[in-house]
Amino acid sequence: MTSVTFKGVIDPDTAVKSSMTIPSGIRAIILAYESGDNPVNKSCYPATPLTVISDQNGNLLIENEPSLFMPVGNYDFYAISSNSHYYEEFEIKNGKLRGLKNGKDYLWATKKEMLVNNSTKVTFEFAHKAVAIVINFFAGHGVDSLLITNVSVSKSLEDGELALSSGLITPSTTLSKQTAMVEVYENSCRWIMLPLSGPSEMPVIIDAIVIKGNIKETRRYESSLPIEKGIFKEGTMYNYIISVDAESLSLGKAIITEWKSICMDNILVIE
């Protein structure tokens, strides 16, 4: 039997910064299958899934369980995290992570056909599986100064599923009829939600304090963000710029960028 230990790195700012040792307290689950087994109709290795938590050195330590021991052989490894310090019950059934929610930075990784023997190292390369959206606001025509106070948007319907074998999240085809507030900081807002396929635009409500000369007004703008080709794709960041004019909003298509992958390396399998 071979003892398995884990270590990783993660990007602390999941959008723009390079990877570094995973911060202390990040939780994830790790599952193992015999190589070639389909998680849809096969059971995972009996000692998994394992709940792990990172320490100050980036080690992913098994919680509430003894060390993991596995026979020498070939395995497929999977790992899932919500990139959070909070303990979370992941429901995995028939090879799918179920009940996905907006606002969670779902990370997924796999290493297949891995030979586990003496001093084997398994390297996970984590990728974002949700969608990140950013809006930056600027004072436009007829506006001297601007303060965005609240932003509410319609998000993807929740309770999606992530396929363990591929990491793909089944996109929602509908936006919620209710808007939800998102955090605003220095005339910018950002949120995470599940992938979307179908709608051509996303409703948005913006509350702002607009200053024109000596006049200070509280204004509400109702508009929609255009969704190019009706798709918000997983692992992608959409950056919008909105000019708040005196009487209206000016906005264009999103600048689409890859939401950087995360490398979780130095996962050690030692005897």
Side-chain angles (χ1 to χ4, degrees):
M1 299 288 287
T2 297
S3 174
V4 184
T5 59
F6 305 89
K7 188 176 181 180
V9 296
I10 193 169
D11 184 347
D13 180 330
T14 54
V16 297
K17 295 182 180 177
S18 59
S19 358
M20 61 179 291
T21 301
I22 185 171
S24 177
I26 297 296
R27 285 178 163 83
I29 61 169
I30 296 175
L31 302 93
Y33 292 79
E34 292 189 16
S35 284
D37 280 355
N38 186 344
V40 171
N41 50 36
K42 294 287 187 177
S43 298
C44 59
Y45 184 75
T48 65
L50 295 169
T51 300
V52 295
I53 184 171
S54 58
D55 68 7
Q56 66 273 18
N57 297 314
N59 299 301
L60 300 176
L61 307 177
I62 300 172
E63 285 193 305
N64 305 319
E65 296 288 345
S67 299
L68 175 63
F69 290 89
M70 302 178 72
V72 172
N74 290 291
Y75 297 91
D76 296 340
F77 290 90
Y78 301 93
I80 297 173
S81 173
S82 59
N83 199 7
S84 169
H85 294 75
Y86 298 105
Y87 178 78
E88 194 169 347
E89 288 284 354
F90 286 117
E91 180 190 356
I92 298 178
K93 187 175 182 180
N94 297 330
K96 294 182 178 181
L97 175 64
R98 298 186 170 184
L100 304 187
K101 303 297 182 185
N102 292 319
K104 295 185 181 295
D105 182 11
Y106 290 106
L107 307 176
W108 170 90
T110 185
K111 189 68 175 182
K112 296 185 178 181
E113 299 182 2
M114 191 71 202
L115 175 61
V116 172
N117 56 19
N118 185 28
S119 299
T120 299
K121 177 185 286 187
V122 180
T123 300
F124 280 146
E125 293 184 359
F126 272 64
H128 297 279
K129 292 299 174 179
V131 172
I133 300 177
V134 178
I135 307 177
N136 291 303
F137 298 91
F138 296 92
H141 180 71
V143 176
D144 297 324
S145 182
L146 173 72
L147 176 63
I148 302 298
T149 55
N150 292 297
V151 177
S152 297
V153 300
S154 295
K155 299 181 181 179
S156 300
L157 287 184
E158 297 186 316
D159 294 324
E161 296 181 335
L162 181 151
L164 187 60
S165 61
S166 65
L168 294 177
I169 292 178
T170 303
S172 173
T173 59
T174 308
L175 288 166
S176 171
K177 294 181 180 179
Q178 303 295 324
T179 59
M181 291 183 61
V182 296
E183 186 175 357
V184 178
Y185 179 74
E186 294 186 346
N187 287 350
S188 179
C189 62
R190 168 181 165 183
W191 68 95
I192 297 171
M193 69 178 203
L194 300 176
L196 183 72
S197 178
S200 60
E201 57 186 21
M202 170 186 286
V204 57
I205 300 172
I206 301 156
D207 293 324
I209 296 174
V210 177
I211 299 175
K212 301 176 289 184
N214 296 323
I215 301 174
K216 182 178 181 180
E217 297 181 333
T218 299
R219 304 290 300 273
R220 167 164 285 191
Y221 302 87
E222 297 189 22
S223 186
S224 294
L225 302 178
I227 304 175
E228 187 172 349
K229 298 180 181 179
I231 295 174
F232 280 146
K233 185 180 178 182
E234 66 173 38
T236 304
M237 176 172 287
Y238 297 83
N239 295 272
Y240 291 89
I241 295 176
I242 295 182
S243 173
V244 180
D245 301 328
E247 301 299 332
S248 63
L249 300 177
S250 299
L251 56 91
K253 293 182 179 180
I255 299 172
I256 301 173
T257 59
E258 181 181 355
W259 195 357
K260 289 187 177 181
S261 295
I262 293 171
C263 178
M264 300 278 280
D265 62 4
N266 299 328
I267 295 179
L268 303 177
V269 183
I270 60 175
E271 194 167 37

